[in-house]
Amino acid sequence: MASQIGTMGTILHARKEEGVAIHPTFNVSVIFGKRDEPMLVACARQLIEHISSSGSSRPLVLSLGLKDHSMETMKGIVSSVIEHRLW
Amino acid sequence: MAGRESEYDGAVNPDLVSDQSLKLQDQSTHLTTTANAAAGGLEITCFSELVDDATFHLQIIRFPKQIYAWIGCNSTKFGDLYAAASTRPSNTIGVASILGGSSDNTGSGIARRLVLKTGLNVILACSIPKNSPMLEV
């Protein structure tokens, strides 16, 4: 959960999909909030890919309540979450 | 949970100098962290409680106008996610299942009652099984 606006903001769900392809596929969706902000989806996608490449198959529920949706902000959030990883 | 000190006084003190204060209660595994940033107060409460042979784990994050709560019953599963808020102008409570769950699940009822009691928007993650009315209380 990352917030700058005093609420949870947009909630996203990301999971790795079981499949026969060599490369894993991921399903990322907004389940509550802004659905027209691609950077939020990109942020969740990066995190679930990192979780998956670390060997964990856990799904991710991510909430982002941000004032700006710039690439720098997203990169900062991704690196912070990875730095404090729990998987 | 009788006799537990309420964690929701609803007030954020902007005059606190330190950004964080940590309060550890000795009677139970009850941990409250209060962060008073310039943008508004944030209170995080985590505790576990044994009720009727069932262990409940709770994490509650209190935003200025919203509450996030996770309730784990005998497990640490995230469970189903619900969003609830009061609607205008009729002041009824609207509940939506946003991950897993359904409208007749335990979690939707709890989310609804939280909105009734607090008046805040509620996001609730709950893994309490169905058909356990005593646990709900």
Side-chain angles (χ1 to χ4, degrees):
Chain A
M1 190 183 297
S3 178
Q4 294 175 308
I5 58 173
T7 66
M8 286 180 68
T10 299
I11 305 176
L12 300 104
H13 180 232
R15 66 177 191 273
K16 182 180 174 182
E17 289 192 321
E18 297 302 321
V20 296
I22 299 171
H23 299 292
T25 55
F26 303 98
N27 185 308
V28 182
S29 58
V30 175
I31 57 175
F32 189 83
K34 282 178 179 282
R35 295 174 194 276
D36 58 353
E37 196 54 66
M39 276 299 176
L40 299 176
V41 178
C43 185
R45 173 73 167 76
Q46 278 222 299
L47 283 171
I48 191 64
E49 190 164 352
H50 194 275
I51 291 169
S52 172
S53 64
S54 304
S56 173
S57 59
R58 290 182 179 185
L60 170 72
V61 176
L62 174 69
S63 85
L64 298 171
L66 304 171
K67 288 180 182 173
D68 80 282
H69 300 99
S70 63
M71 195 175 296
E72 290 71 32
T73 305
M74 294 302 140
K75 283 182 177 176
I77 286 172
V78 170
S79 60
S80 280
V81 172
I82 291 171
E83 187 184 326
H84 298 94
R85 53 185 285 173
L86 293 173
W87 56 89
Chain B
M1 296 186 186
R4 177 173 300 287
E5 183 181 307
S6 169
E7 296 298 330
Y8 305 107
D9 59 7
V12 170
N13 187 351
D15 296 326
L16 283 177
V17 175
S18 60
D19 283 339
Q20 269 187 328
S21 62
L22 188 68
K23 292 178 278 183
L24 184 64
Q25 313 242 345
D26 293 328
Q27 281 91 13
S28 64
T29 52
H30 197 129
L31 188 67
T32 302
T33 303
T34 304
N36 254 321
L42 192 70
E43 195 166 315
I44 303 171
T45 303
C46 299
F47 63 97
S48 296
E49 187 111 1
L50 182 63
V51 177
D52 288 341
D53 295 329
T55 301
F56 286 92
H57 309 289
L58 284 95
Q59 180 189 46
I60 302 162
I61 301 178
R62 171 46 159 118
F63 294 91
K65 293 182 182 177
Q66 192 177 47
I67 287 178
Y68 162 79
W70 167 71
I71 306 174
C73 178
N74 289 329
S75 83
T76 55
K77 286 185 180 176
F78 188 67
D80 304 323
L81 192 61
Y82 299 89
S86 58
T87 59
R88 285 176 279 179
S90 56
N91 242 13
T92 52
I93 311 295
V95 184
S97 165
I98 55 179
L99 194 61
S102 59
S103 59
D104 64 341
N105 258 1
T106 312
S108 61
I110 295 174
R112 186 179 165 278
R113 277 178 277 173
L114 281 172
V115 174
L116 275 171
K117 289 194 174 177
T118 64
L120 302 171
N121 299 335
V122 168
I123 304 287
L124 173 74
C126 176
S127 64
I128 298 177
K130 267 189 190 183
N131 304 320
S132 54
M134 289 310 296
L135 293 180
E136 282 184 54
V137 171

